Amino acid sequence: MSIKMIRIDDRLIHGQIVTAWAKNLQIDKIWIVDDGVAKDDFIKGIMQMVAPSDRELIITGLDDIRRLVEKFDNEPDNVLILIKFPYVAKELFQAGVKLKELNIGGMGAGSDRQKLFKNISASQSEKDTLKSIQDMGVNVYFQVTPDEKRSQFVY
């Protein structure tokens, strides 16, 4: 499998991604799937500036999921997929991604969100989506850094 991790992290690329996950998983490509980022040249530029220079960065909207899942699942490069929301993860799994794991690493607080795990929050709709992903046979877990023990998502 070329897709090594699918991670929900509303910060997308940041220090933990660059210094911990990308190195730990020997990532060659980072794929950000987010319609808002894909349409915002300013934010795309920031993502490109903070991404590790020795790794390829791909930023797309949801409309490219099916095509790129098939491509990245069948090439030798190791890929890390970064997304902000559970519904995007569901799209990835419905597109047939081979990896059957979802890492929840960062979902910030919001007016419609309640604490889910440590500093991770989710709305009822997001929790329902995570449960439906779990029902698809996907291991949904919390793990902020590679050296931290995994904790299972329990609905």
Side-chain angles (χ1 to χ4, degrees):
M1 260 183 279
S2 296
I3 296 174
K4 296 296 182 190
M5 175 181 271
I6 301 168
R7 178 178 170 95
I8 298 175
D9 192 326
D10 53 18
R11 297 175 293 168
L12 299 172
I13 297 178
H14 54 87
Q16 290 168 350
I17 297 300
V18 174
T19 62
W21 287 112
K23 288 181 182 175
N24 184 274
L25 297 171
Q26 299 177 332
I27 295 301
D28 302 303
K29 295 180 181 182
I30 298 172
W31 177 21
I32 293 175
V33 184
D34 187 88
D35 284 337
V37 174
K39 294 174 184 172
D40 188 325
D41 289 337
F42 177 73
I43 298 296
K44 276 199 297 194
I46 291 173
M47 292 292 117
Q48 289 165 342
M49 284 191 317
V50 298
S53 60
D54 60 341
R55 290 168 177 89
E56 184 180 350
L57 177 64
I58 301 101
I59 301 172
T60 72
L62 275 71
D63 54 345
D64 286 320
I65 285 177
R66 289 208 180 274
R67 177 179 62 84
L68 290 178
V69 159
E70 185 175 323
K71 177 182 183 218
F72 292 150
D73 260 344
N74 296 300
E75 68 174 36
D77 291 337
N78 292 334
V79 180
L80 167 62
I81 300 175
L82 297 175
I83 59 177
K84 291 182 179 182
F85 306 105
Y87 75 88
V88 180
K90 189 170 182 179
E91 293 282 333
L92 287 161
F93 292 111
Q94 288 175 332
V97 68
K98 291 177 185 173
L99 182 69
K100 297 301 177 206
E101 293 188 337
L102 176 62
N103 172 281
I104 306 172
M107 293 173 60
S111 61
D112 63 335
R113 288 182 166 175
Q114 300 82 39
K115 182 178 177 178
L116 186 59
F117 178 81
K118 294 186 179 179
N119 292 331
I120 298 170
S121 301
S123 68
Q124 186 60 51
S125 172
E126 289 169 329
K127 288 188 263 187
D128 293 343
T129 300
L130 291 170
K131 172 69 170 118
S132 71
I133 291 168
Q134 199 172 48
D135 290 345
M136 297 167 71
V138 175
N139 177 26
V140 180
Y141 65 94
F142 303 97
Q143 187 178 19
V144 178
T145 62
D147 58 344
E148 184 178 286
K149 183 179 177 237
R150 286 184 180 192
S151 296
Q152 295 305 122
F153 166 73
V154 179
Y155 187 72

